[in-house]
Amino acid sequence: MDFLRQFGLTDLDLLNLTAIAVALLVLLGLLRTVFRLTRSILRMGCAILVFGAAILFLISLYGSG
C-alpha cells in the first residue's frame, strides 16, 4: 500500500479503482454473453432461411405437376 501512496492515491481511491475494475469485468462478461447469444440466433435464423428456401424450391419443383 505504501507504493500507492507515493503516487498520491488514498485508500478510497484504491477502493474506487477496484470497484470500477470489477464493474468493467462484469460488463465485459455480459457483453460476451450477449454476443454469443446473438451469434447463435443469427446462425439459427440463417439455417431456418436456407431450410425454408429449400422447401419452397422443392414445392415449386414437384408441386406444379
Side-chain angles (χ1 to χ4, degrees):
M1 294 294 278
D2 289 333
F3 71 95
L4 291 176
R5 293 190 197 281
Q6 70 185 357
F7 297 113
L9 293 175
T10 64
D11 289 337
L12 183 60
D13 292 335
L14 183 61
L15 181 65
N16 286 337
L17 288 174
T18 304
I20 290 170
V22 169
L24 287 175
L25 286 173
V26 168
L27 180 66
L28 181 66
L30 287 173
L31 284 174
R32 186 176 178 202
T33 302
V34 166
F35 283 132
R36 282 186 178 185
L37 182 63
T38 303
R39 185 178 62 195
S40 297
I41 289 172
L42 286 175
R43 189 180 303 151
M44 187 173 29
C46 290
I48 289 172
L49 285 175
V50 168
F51 185 67
I55 288 176
L56 289 175
F57 176 73
L58 290 174
I59 288 173
S60 68
L61 188 66
Y62 294 114
S64 63

